[in-house]
Amino acid sequence: MTASALDTLDTPAAVLDIDRMERNIAAMQARIDAHGVRFRPHVKTSKCLEVIGAQLRAGAHGVTVSTLKEAEACFEAGIDDILYAVGIAPAKLARAMALKRRGCRLKLVVDNLAAADAIVAACRAEEDRFEVWLEVDTDGHRSGIAPDSDTLLAVGRALRDGAIPIGGVMAHAGSSYELHTEAALRALAEQERAGCALAARRLREAGIDCPGVSVGSTPTALAAARLDGVTEVRAGVYVFFDLVMHNVGVCALDDLALSVLTTVIGHQPDKGWIIVDAGWMALSRDRGTSKQSRDFQYGLPCTVDGTPIDGYLLVSANQEHGIMAAAGDAVPCNPADVVARFPLGTKLRILPNHACATGAQFAEYHAVRADGALAVWHRFRGW
Amino acid sequence: MTASALDTLDTPAAVLDIDRMERNIAAMQARIDAHGVRFRPHVKTSKCLEVIGAQLRAGAHGVTVSTLKEAEACFEAGIDDILYAVGIAPAKLARAMALKRRGCRLKLVVDNLAAADAIVAACRAEEDRFEVWLEVDTDGHRSGIAPDSDTLLAVGRALRDGAIPIGGVMAHAGSSYELHTEAALRALAEQERAGCALAARRLREAGIDCPGVSVGSTPTALAAARLDGVTEVRAGVYVFFDLVMHNVGVCALDDLALSVLTTVIGHQPDKGWIIVDAGWMALSRDRGTSKQSRDFQYGLPCTVDGTPIDGYLLVSANQEHGIMAAAGDAVPCNPADVVARFPLGTKLRILPNHACATGAQFAEYHAVRADGALAVWHRFRGW
């Protein structure tokens, strides 16, 4: 990427390397294609129609969303196959139904009997029917029904008896973010697959339709050795990757497509500090690498062409100030050299801990190609 | 506040208790008035014209901003006395000058010779002059020039010799957030005052005009015993307060004006977990209480009328999921009771660690009064 295109931007800015993004999209799609299953990317990472368009053109089938706002934005852009992958609150059913009435094939997710009952009642009142997926918990990290539980069948029966079409079962092995070896990731991917497949089998054996089996997180999607019984994989952050994913071991540093462009605004030479205009308002407060094998503090600084600056980290962040300094063993001989090395006005790019959180701090991406072409891609926002 | 007004809102939503906010504004203004100095609130917390209007009506003189976007939004709303309190990057001078040319009395801040030289050069080229303040470092936490340093005088001379009017010196004792006793806060307030007053005296003794002495952070503004030599105090987060400030000891829990309205979307009864639809996208990733005397995790849940729920915290947050659970000694006898106590659809309000960060996750506040009246107040965003 040429530095000159970025020199025209106000800072801080969210810079998106389109070439890296397209490489990430192609690699994931090829990986899932090789398993012979469909891929449904989670758009909560980018919240950007240009990015989602690239994922669909590469072969994705439909999208996963985390908010009704994302669903509405995607539907308005012509995407009608949408899985809303957060358990539905009954008060949101009217808004979901309005979207469905406009022609959206919106799929809801439930993990409890009360929500299933609320969907049945709402659909009866509206004389319409959502497709509903049962959320299964395969790693204990958040929501979902245990695959071997009575609750699974109770929820399945409540939906079936309420004439609600069940799309399938879905799981998200979010604890994969805590792993960092290929063996552990492969084992968790198998646990996610097996748990979800078990849930589907139990529903079917109980006479309940369960055509779909959907699994996924970026690490397990990339690590899975086999996907028998799975019909669909979901993943989100792979599209940009980030330092957390680098620590998990599923991407190289030069796969990271999102960075925050920043400007040096001052120094504390005695301490070897470089002050930049990217604080937590730009980078987010996400410290996802703090408990991983390598703690990147608030991010890894790079030169404006994207080359990591060896031994330096963004060690602290206030709202609009970041403090960059030598970290670990790389303390320079003379801290005051930072003024000569990174003079006032120097532009830098910070690789973020967590692309979903950092992206969310910005209204738009400045999307650049290697030839320097620059475009503004908007994000949607809110709920 | 009546619960019924909030029952109409989609969740998550940022709820602003106007009565508490007005109480906070009045208390701070009275405190600074009693010192006989001007008060210039920092609008980076609210980024909201209705809130800023309330601060100005209560007696504030001008505003402090952290971005040129905030400056532009305030100026467009008729506020022309604006201190941009982040060290200026030379590349931003053209945009700052455009704002000044429209009639804005925009004050810039510098803490190094290169920035002073850039301002002199830009003003000479434009045949115009910014008012410039020298940032002084009184507690070593971030930017600023040491009050007793040669650099202070060098920067002052560069501005004076460049015919730039110096507004004064300013400091922000941000390390006050790390304290939690009245004695320590009072001592730091005095350190901030004394350091800033020393810088002003040294400049004056060197024949350099330095009319203003501006200090402040919410804790030091509230703790200062004396403000001799100070002309202006700045503070930001006091307008809403938050759990970090509660731990610092400068507000009660019922002073907190900002909360995140959320809905229960599920449970993990075996673990005693309540799953809510406020994750880090709503609450931010700010964990500012993690190293304080009481760690509130991702926030303190309250009933929808604002009463803290004893013994529970938001213990974990994913993008759109929050996990609420009993924390500390308050583990319930039977975890499964959470389903009966907090059934699906229950609305709750989460008090946030850091109001500046949580507010920034939202496009608007839902501002409510005790009588239940509800208004939508927009935030500005970006840089």
Side-chain angles (χ1 to χ4, degrees):
Chain A
M1 185 183 313
T2 62
S4 58
L6 301 182
D7 281 339
T8 63
L9 299 179
D10 282 350
T11 57
V15 173
L16 183 49
D17 184 319
I18 304 177
D19 302 288
R20 290 182 179 190
M21 177 194 84
E22 290 180 344
R23 199 170 70 205
N24 297 339
I25 290 171
M28 178 64 86
Q29 188 68 49
R31 180 98 193 168
I32 306 306
D33 284 349
H35 286 292
V37 303
R38 291 190 304 275
F39 181 57
R40 181 188 292 277
H42 204 316
V43 305
K44 75 184 181 70
T45 302
S46 74
K47 302 203 183 204
C48 172
L49 292 173
E50 288 85 350
V51 175
I52 299 165
Q55 292 169 309
L56 293 171
R57 283 194 302 277
H61 283 78
V63 296
T64 312
V65 301
S66 68
T67 64
L68 287 176
K69 175 67 79 72
E70 290 164 40
E72 290 160 351
C74 286
F75 180 69
E76 278 153 26
I79 302 161
D80 73 342
D81 179 3
I82 301 175
L83 174 68
Y84 173 38
V86 176
I88 186 85
K92 291 175 182 162
L93 283 167
R95 187 169 157 199
M97 183 60 81
L99 188 58
K100 183 176 186 304
R101 287 276 165 79
R102 291 166 64 192
C104 181
R105 292 183 291 148
L106 182 68
K107 297 145 184 54
L108 304 183
V109 161
V110 296
D111 75 347
N112 64 84
L113 200 53
D117 289 344
I119 291 173
V120 168
C123 288
R124 196 164 287 158
E126 296 287 329
E127 298 184 350
D128 204 337
R129 300 187 309 166
F130 286 108
E131 178 181 317
V132 175
W133 289 62
L134 278 72
E135 184 176 5
V136 171
D137 177 19
T138 61
D139 66 348
H141 86 290
R142 190 170 74 192
S143 307
I145 311 170
D148 58 356
S149 66
D150 294 339
T151 304
L152 180 80
L153 299 182
V155 173
R157 287 195 189 101
L159 294 169
R160 181 196 61 190
D161 296 348
I164 301 296
I166 294 175
V169 289
M170 59 85 78
H172 166 60
S175 64
S176 59
Y177 283 39
E178 296 157 23
L179 307 177
H180 56 91
T181 68
E182 199 178 330
L185 289 171
R186 190 172 301 156
L188 184 62
E190 173 55 18
Q191 180 179 317
E192 183 185 38
R193 183 206 69 77
C196 222
L198 168 64
R201 191 165 65 245
R202 290 187 66 228
L203 287 166
R204 291 165 188 155
E205 286 171 1
I208 299 164
D209 263 359
C210 180
V213 176
S214 176
V215 297
S217 71
T218 285
T220 53
L222 291 168
R226 53 192 279 260
L227 288 174
D228 314 27
V230 167
T231 62
E232 169 181 284
V233 171
R234 308 179 325 281
V237 75
Y238 80 96
V239 71
F240 295 161
F241 281 128
D242 53 28
L243 294 171
V244 166
M245 287 296 115
H246 178 63
N247 273 335
V248 170
V250 294
C251 64
L253 279 180
D254 65 6
D255 293 326
L256 271 59
L258 180 68
S259 62
V260 173
L261 185 73
T262 186
T263 303
V264 174
I265 59 170
H267 307 83
Q268 292 290 13
D270 295 349
K271 299 172 180 165
W273 287 359
I274 303 106
I275 314 289
V276 300
D277 70 353
W280 59 252
M281 185 63 83
L283 291 159
S284 89
R285 270 292 195 198
D286 199 288
R287 288 280 294 102
T289 60
S290 64
K291 290 177 183 168
Q292 290 186 307
S293 55
R294 183 172 175 197
D295 183 351
F296 285 96
Q297 306 286 342
Y298 279 94
L300 178 61
C302 301
T303 55
V304 75
D305 71 356
T307 308
I309 299 169
D310 201 34
Y312 281 80
L313 291 176
L314 212 70
V315 297
S316 177
N318 293 154
Q319 186 158 339
E320 298 292 350
H321 296 80
I323 300 178
M324 176 178 149
D329 301 332
V331 177
C333 299
N334 181 358
D337 288 349
V338 295
V339 180
R341 185 167 174 198
F342 305 105
L344 183 79
T346 301
K347 287 200 169 163
L348 300 167
R349 284 163 69 187
I350 315 293
L351 296 174
N353 286 316
H354 187 178
C356 307
T358 301
Q361 303 299 104
F362 291 86
E364 72 265 314
Y365 304 107
H366 292 277
V368 289
R369 287 203 180 271
D371 65 6
L374 195 65
V376 174
W377 291 359
H378 288 281
R379 282 178 54 96
F380 29 88
R381 183 191 195 203
W383 287 272
Chain B
M1 185 182 313
T2 62
S4 58
L6 301 181
D7 281 339
T8 63
L9 299 180
D10 282 349
T11 57
V15 173
L16 183 49
D17 183 319
I18 304 177
D19 301 290
R20 290 183 180 190
M21 178 194 84
E22 290 180 343
R23 199 171 69 204
N24 297 338
I25 290 171
M28 177 65 87
Q29 187 68 49
R31 180 99 193 168
I32 306 307
D33 283 348
H35 287 291
V37 303
R38 290 191 304 275
F39 180 58
R40 181 187 293 277
H42 205 315
V43 306
K44 76 184 180 70
T45 302
S46 74
K47 301 204 183 204
C48 171
L49 292 173
E50 287 85 351
V51 175
I52 299 165
Q55 291 169 310
L56 292 171
R57 283 193 302 277
H61 283 79
V63 296
T64 311
V65 302
S66 68
T67 64
L68 288 177
K69 174 67 79 71
E70 291 164 40
E72 290 161 351
C74 286
F75 181 69
E76 278 153 25
I79 303 162
D80 74 341
D81 179 2
I82 300 175
L83 174 68
Y84 173 37
V86 176
I88 187 86
K92 291 176 181 161
L93 283 167
R95 186 169 158 201
M97 183 61 81
L99 188 58
K100 183 177 186 306
R101 287 276 166 80
R102 292 165 64 193
C104 181
R105 293 182 290 150
L106 181 68
K107 296 145 185 55
L108 303 183
V109 160
V110 296
D111 75 348
N112 64 84
L113 201 53
D117 289 343
I119 291 173
V120 168
C123 289
R124 195 165 287 157
E126 296 287 329
E127 299 183 349
D128 205 336
R129 300 187 308 166
F130 287 108
E131 178 181 318
V132 176
W133 290 62
L134 279 73
E135 184 177 6
V136 172
D137 178 17
T138 61
D139 65 348
H141 86 291
R142 190 170 74 192
S143 307
I145 310 170
D148 59 355
S149 67
D150 294 340
T151 304
L152 180 81
L153 300 182
V155 173
R157 287 194 188 99
L159 293 169
R160 181 197 60 192
D161 297 348
I164 301 296
I166 294 174
V169 289
M170 59 85 79
H172 167 60
S175 63
S176 59
Y177 284 39
E178 297 157 23
L179 307 178
H180 56 91
T181 67
E182 198 176 331
L185 289 170
R186 189 172 301 159
L188 184 62
E190 173 56 18
Q191 181 178 317
E192 184 186 38
R193 183 205 69 78
C196 221
L198 169 65
R201 191 166 64 244
R202 290 187 65 230
L203 287 165
R204 291 165 188 157
E205 285 170 2
I208 298 163
D209 263 359
C210 181
V213 176
S214 174
V215 297
S217 71
T218 286
T220 53
L222 291 170
R226 52 193 279 261
L227 289 175
D228 315 26
V230 168
T231 62
E232 169 181 284
V233 172
R234 308 179 324 281
V237 76
Y238 79 96
V239 71
F240 296 161
F241 282 127
D242 54 28
L243 294 171
V244 166
M245 286 297 116
H246 178 63
N247 273 336
V248 170
V250 294
C251 64
L253 279 181
D254 65 7
D255 293 327
L256 271 60
L258 181 68
S259 61
V260 173
L261 185 72
T262 187
T263 304
V264 173
I265 60 170
H267 307 84
Q268 292 289 14
D270 296 348
K271 298 171 179 164
W273 287 359
I274 303 105
I275 314 289
V276 299
D277 70 353
W280 60 251
M281 184 64 83
L283 291 159
S284 90
R285 270 292 196 198
D286 199 288
R287 288 282 292 104
T289 60
S290 64
K291 291 178 181 166
Q292 291 186 308
S293 55
R294 183 172 175 195
D295 183 350
F296 285 96
Q297 306 286 342
Y298 278 94
L300 178 61
C302 301
T303 56
V304 75
D305 70 357
T307 309
I309 299 170
D310 200 34
Y312 281 80
L313 291 177
L314 212 71
V315 297
S316 177
N318 293 154
Q319 187 158 339
E320 298 292 350
H321 296 80
I323 299 178
M324 176 178 150
D329 301 331
V331 178
C333 298
N334 180 1
D337 289 349
V338 295
V339 181
R341 184 167 175 198
F342 305 105
L344 182 79
T346 301
K347 288 200 168 163
L348 301 167
R349 285 163 70 189
I350 315 292
L351 297 174
N353 285 316
H354 187 177
C356 307
T358 301
Q361 302 299 104
F362 291 85
E364 72 265 315
Y365 304 106
H366 292 278
V368 289
R369 286 203 181 270
D371 64 6
L374 195 65
V376 174
W377 290 359
H378 289 281
R379 282 178 54 96
F380 29 89
R381 183 190 194 203
W383 287 272

